[in-house]
Amino acid sequence: MRALVTGAAGFIGSTLVDRLLRDGHDVVGIDNLSTGLMTNLDSAFDYYSHGGCGRNRFTFVRNDIQAPELADIVMGSNPDVIFHLAAQVNLRASVTDPLFDARSNVLGTVNLCEACREAGVRRVVYAASGGSRYGAPTHLPVSESVPLGPLSPYAVAKVAGELYLRAYAEMYGISPICLALANVYGPRQNPLGEAGVITVFASAMLTGRGTRIFGDGTSSRDYVYVDDVVDAFVRAGAAHDGVTDTFNIGTGLQTTVGEVHRLVSDAVGSCASPAFNATHPGELHAIALDSSKAEAVLGWKPTVGVADGVQKTIEWLRATLVPGSEAQAPPKALIGA
Ligand SMILES: NC(=O)c1ccc[n+]([C@@H]2O[C@H](COP(=O)([O-])OP(=O)(O)OC[C@H]3O[C@@H](n4cnc5c(N)ncnc54)[C@H](O)[C@@H]3O)[C@@H](O)[C@H]2O)c1
């Protein structure tokens, strides 16, 4: 299979690139490197584009998804499936600069839809936001049948991407699958971000910095491990052409931010208490996703529990962070929401 991954240098995108290459597929990655890092693609380059596997199976193109040349890149790559993960992912930044967010996440996705139409690409798998598409649902875990209720510019823009894909499906026969992701965590998540709270807490504790909780610690999220999420993308990419739908990808379980702090403290061996700050506008109190449709249709279910996932993430952080130094950390904060 030939796959094209937008947002290939990002946290989830680069993990997906590695998995696709390991599975034997040819991959073209696109990223503008606004938050993504070339180092996230080290393993993809090391083996798969330098002849280690016999021939070059990985190509990286530094490009913005809003750029007019996207159509030529898609046409030239001739992909069987496009995994669309490139996005401005900082919810708080979307509140302060909604125009920038919309340009990247709405216009960028429309540009990709047009490129798919011109190149005749059918299968598109889109990283939707399960944490924000339902607003503040009263019943948890929430299923896909609950009406849309985005409450922030980021949430509106991510939903708009889904709706554009649906419209292109109606108009031009594109076959989209939208994966509405819960809070994804794991190796390669930016440890200096404002969300991705597991790596944020863990990196702070490992480098001797203090931790902050926004709110009173009772707000809860559905934390899903990155390898499980990547598995959902792979299954969606391989799904029968007739499957076009939105699927929640989460564990269905709520973990409070206070519990996350305790889990990370225990794993790191830290006894420092967090500081507490006011919550930000546009952020939810509680969310958890019912993924039974993904299990029934895609055969997907999560395999990594949050305690194990926290351990794996901390092992990665221990191997990459220099204590007391931020020199190796990515330059810009990011949020997965
Ligand atoms: N991390 C989560 O918890 C989570 C939850 C729900 C949905 N998502 C979605 O998953 C996708 C990946 O998120 P992530 O957590 O890996 O974030 P990330 O910031 O690590 O990845 C996004 C990538 O897209 C690139 N990018 C941004 N704007 C671009 C543009 N205009 N053109 C080309 N490249 C661009 C960035 O450089 C980055 O490499 C996003 O679409 C995000 O909305 C993430």
Side-chain angles (χ1 to χ4, degrees), residues 272-331:
S273 300
F276 290 87
N277 290 79
T279 50
H280 291 88
E283 289 184 5
L284 292 179
H285 186 68
I287 188 74
L289 305 182
D290 174 356
S291 302
S292 46
K293 191 164 76 169
E295 183 172 357
V297 179
L298 303 176
W300 179 87
K301 58 180 178 182
T303 62
V304 180
V306 69
D308 284 348
V310 163
Q311 285 289 356
K312 287 169 187 269
T313 307
I314 288 170
E315 278 164 30
W316 167 76
L317 275 170
R318 281 192 200 280
T320 52
L321 282 176
V322 177
S325 157
E326 296 179 359
Q328 295 197 357

Side-chain angles (χ1 to χ4, degrees), residues 65 84 101-117 121-122 124-126 128 133 148 153-178 244-246:
I65 54 165
H84 178 33
D101 180 78
R103 277 192 286 270
S104 192
N105 295 359
V106 181
L107 296 185
T109 299
V110 176
N111 200 32
L112 184 76
C113 288
E114 279 291 288
C116 289
R117 179 181 65 77
V121 176
R122 285 185 54 76
V124 181
V125 184
Y126 173 67
R133 79 192 290 276
L148 296 169
Y154 169 79
V156 171
K158 292 300 289 186
V159 165
E162 285 187 58
L163 297 178
Y164 269 102
L165 284 163
R166 272 192 220 169
Y168 272 68
E170 286 297 320
M171 294 188 300
Y172 305 116
I174 284 172
S175 182
I177 290 182
C178 300
T244 63
D245 209 342
T246 295

Side-chain angles (χ1 to χ4, degrees), residues 185-187 222-229 250-251 253 300-313:
Y185 71 99
D222 180 339
Y223 293 97
V224 60
Y225 191 66
V226 65
D227 288 353
D228 282 332
V229 169
T251 66
L253 303 171
W300 179 87
K301 58 180 178 182
T303 62
V304 180
V306 69
D308 284 348
V310 163
Q311 285 289 356
K312 287 169 187 269
T313 307

